[in-house]
Structures are given as structure tokens and as C-alpha cells.
Amino acid sequence: MAVVSPTSFITPSSGADYGRKSTISFTSSFSSTLILRFPPNFVRQLSTKARRNCSNIGVAQIVAASWSDRQAPLDTPPSATAGAEAAPVVVGGDDTAVGSGSGSKGNGVVSKLVQSPASLALGSFLSSDGSLVVHAGERIGRGITTDSITTPVVNTSAYWFNNSEELIDFKEGRHASYEYGRYGNPTTKVLEEKMNALERAESTVFVSSGMYASVAMFLALVPAGGHIVTTTDCYRKTRIFIQNELPKMGITVTVIDPADMDSLERALNENDVSVFFTESPTNPFLRCVDIALVSELCHSKGAVVCIDGTFASPVNQKALTFGADLVLHSATKFIAGHNDVLGGCISGSEKLISKIRQYHHVVGGVLNPNAAYLISRGMKTLHLRVQHQNNTALRMAQFLEEHPKIVQVYYPGLLSHPEHHIAKRQMTGFGGVVSFEVAGDLRSTMKFVDSLKIPYLAPSFGGVESIVDQPAIMSYWDLPQAERLKYGIKDNLVRFSFGVEDFDDLKADIIQALDQI
């Protein structure tokens, strides 16, 4: 028989004696329908004790009840809730969290959280990125009621409503909940709030990949027949989409060097530019765009500025604070940081993100809630990982620049970098990726890469494991050498993403690999 707290009681009843909103009935392995009711000040204690007895009663998950509109603020004296109606708690299976009051039910979702001043004041304690990546979106009030430290994964494709009136309230904005998995998920919402805090953004939308984030941004904001401006150095798949897919909608493009502001001004004057888009730093040469200057020029002509900050991460660079309208990331890289999940996000003003979100809701590209959980967990160590990677990459770039078997090093932290002065002004760290050219041809560079023992030979970057690749092979092998050179991709170019391994081990590994050529 189930063991319950002495202050609760179990009634084998259909619930006829209680209002629908204030009672919860359930059946599982028990032979009859059961109703559990608990007083408000017992909710947290219930959650603890009930979980302690989960093995006795065969319950998969027990979550404390939410209090919706009638939830007492955290700073309310106990006497203020003494006469409150007892709150029912569902004891059930997957993603179950139910409370009393209008709008609370078993979605694992709180329909309306009432934040007290004490709760909201927590935000004032989170002044640094290191605290925000851990607590933002969670400690300051997540939309899932549970006393677990970690945010639960809500695996559901749809969300239910108690009645048609509640559904109408939802449609007309009086009842906060979710409707369908493509339109939102509470686990993903926590992640979006965390990114809002980190990027100083009004709104963020997380999607299935960084590439999809770019596509959604373009197609949501650039009209048919519109014009965009982008830069020469960028992720190749983004370039392919711009060159091959956007023209099908009559969208034209001007491509400029990242430092060529004269060409940007000319493009803005000669075209009705909808969006200026660039990476900063860029892939793979880590060029940096003056975000403040670009934003000033583009805004004077009504163009939106979107910065892909994937190579920087939000820890090193906050593009919105320099005037950009949108910042985009492949969350697969530094943000998640463990080479185990795909995801992307766009942050910015509510006005612009709502347009992208509307397109996203129609087309799809949804981030799985399990992926959202992995990204959120990875973000909690983002500042620690990135600081280590910044340090390793800078020291390694300085070392490589002096090595006789290295021809050229590309890293914004070096004085020799063409945009070092810009990077120093708008970045607090220079990132964990270093590109460099080995003194040799395709084959000797292949031998260097293959002689490395620590890094994985793979695409991607930004994770805890070091990764190395030879772009001529990894990303451009389908093009002849002459075509590759048009994009600056030489056969001896290497892109090295430094993980969190020990600097001396990585240095020794690079030295022994260079000794092989």
C-alpha cells in the first residue's frame, strides 16, 4: 500500500465532492481511483517525501504543485496562506505537474508563474556571465514547477487544455501555456531565457542547427527581390545558400571584404539593402568586422545587421551591445561545447525575433527538447571552457607564429592580425580556434595532421575535445585547386580548434607532428 504523509489523505472517490480544478484523480497499478490533496505550505515537503517513497508506490515521477494565480509570493508570511484551499498534486508518469487554480494542469508546464519581488531580486545578484550561464532562465523563475535543481526535459508533442474557455483564453493571450511542440517547449524556453541574459537580448529563438538559423533569418527578413550584403570569408554552406538558393527568390547579394567599409557604403547607397550579414570572427581566417561602424552605416539606410558570433561565443563578444540588431550562433560549437548535440539560435529585439519565430513555426526546424537540455547543461560551463580555450589558443598562436615550419598564423589575438585593433575593442577574449599555414604542400600538410595524436580529425569546433582539419580536404575537396584559391583556401591551411586539454600536452603534440615534415 502507498505510504503518504500524515498531513495528506487519500480518498477512493471519483472527485464528485470537489471542483474539477481543485482535485486530481488518477489510476495506475492501484485498483481504484485516488485523489491526493495537500495544504499549500506542504507542497515542498510533499515533493521531497513523495520522491523518497517513489519505490514503494511505483510512481515514475512526482513534481510539486504549481499555484498559478493564487500562488503566495515567496515573502508572504505563513499566516497569510493559512486559510488557503488545499492544493491537489498528481502522482503519475511522464512529465506530470499539476496544481490548483485556473490554468494549472498536468503538462509539466506552469500556465502562469507569479514572481515575487524576492524571486525577481535574484537577478540583481547575477551580474557576470559566469553566474548567468549557470542560473539565468532557471534560478530567476523557469516555467516548469519542480524543486529539482536541474531543468526537466519535457518530452511531448502537444499540450492539452482543460476546456474550450481555457483554450480561447490561451488564443487571446490571457492564459500562458503551450499548444504544439513545433511552437514551443518549456525546456527550450529555459534555454532561450538563458541566452537572452547572456546576449543582453529581448528575445531568442532556438532551432535545430546553426545553418537553419541562418536560413530562417534570411527568409523571414529579406523580401523577394530584396538585396543583402555579406563578406568574402564565411562558412561555405552559408555561401552556397546565398549564391544558389536566394537568387531563386530574386534576392541579390553584394560580397565585400570584411574591412572594406567603402564598398559597404556603396552597396547601401546603390541598393535597397534588407540585411547585412557576416561572421565575426569569420571562418576560417578569423577576420573581424567593426560591428559598431557597420551598424551605424547600415542603420542610416534602414538595413538590419546580423552578426554570426559562433567563433567568438557570447562570453567573448556581445554583438548587440555594439549596435547589431541580431546575433546568431551555431550552438553546436562553443555554446553546447561537448561535440554531442546540434542546435542554433538567433537573439535580438522582440520585433525581429517574432518575425523569425513566425517563419520558424510554419517551416519547422524544431530543436528537440533533449537537445535543448544538453545545450543548457553545456552552457553552465561555457565561461570556464572558453576562458581556458582563449588562453590556450592565444599562447599557441604566439608559439606557432615563431615556428620555422609555419608560414602564416590567423588569430585575432595576434598583433599581426589585420583586425587586431577591432578585435581588441569588441572582444574580451579571442576564441579557441587558430588557423595557420604549414610550410609545405597538400601531402606534407596531410602528414602533419595525421601525425597529431590528441586532436580528432573532424569538422566542427568549440568542444572540449580538440579538433583539427585541413579545409582544402574537409570543406573544399569537391573543388579544383584553382577554385579553392579564389576563397583563399590553400592546400597547406590548417584549422585547429583547441579543447580543454593541457596546454603543454597540446604544444608537445604539435611539435612532434611538425617534426614529421
Side-chain angles (χ1 to χ4, degrees), residues 223-296:
H227 192 88
I228 68 168
V229 179
T230 190
T231 53
T232 50
D233 192 30
C234 69
Y235 176 51
R236 189 185 175 201
K237 292 299 190 293
T238 305
R239 182 189 297 120
I240 290 173
F241 178 79
I242 290 172
Q243 291 177 341
N244 297 352
E245 302 303 321
L246 290 184
K248 296 176 182 178
M249 289 161 278
I251 297 172
T252 53
V253 58
T254 297
V255 182
I256 65 171
D257 183 88
D260 192 350
M261 294 298 100
D262 290 337
S263 291
L264 174 58
E265 287 192 84
R266 187 160 51 251
L268 290 167
N269 290 329
E270 296 176 357
N271 304 277
D272 184 11
V273 177
S274 299
V275 170
F276 172 83
F277 172 79
T278 186
E279 301 162 6
S280 187
T282 62
N283 181 17
F285 294 109
L286 306 170
R287 300 288 302 277
C288 295
V289 169
D290 188 332
I291 300 172
L293 178 56
V294 163
S295 299
E296 181 182 349

Side-chain angles (χ1 to χ4, degrees), residues 191-242:
L191 178 59
E192 290 172 345
E193 292 296 336
K194 193 179 292 290
M195 186 57 70
N196 283 345
L198 200 55
E199 283 287 14
R200 315 299 192 260
E202 289 180 1
S203 185
T204 294
V205 58
F206 261 85
V207 296
S208 56
S209 70
M211 187 65 225
Y212 173 78
S214 298
V215 170
M217 183 275 298
F218 282 126
L219 297 185
L221 300 182
V222 184
H227 192 88
I228 68 168
V229 179
T230 190
T231 53
T232 50
D233 192 30
C234 69
Y235 176 51
R236 189 185 175 201
K237 292 299 190 293
T238 305
R239 182 189 297 120
I240 290 173
F241 178 79
I242 290 172

Side-chain angles (χ1 to χ4, degrees), residues 26 45 89 122 184 237 301 418 505:
F26 70 91
Q45 184 180 357
V89 176
L122 285 169
K237 292 299 190 293
K301 296 294 183 178
D505 288 343

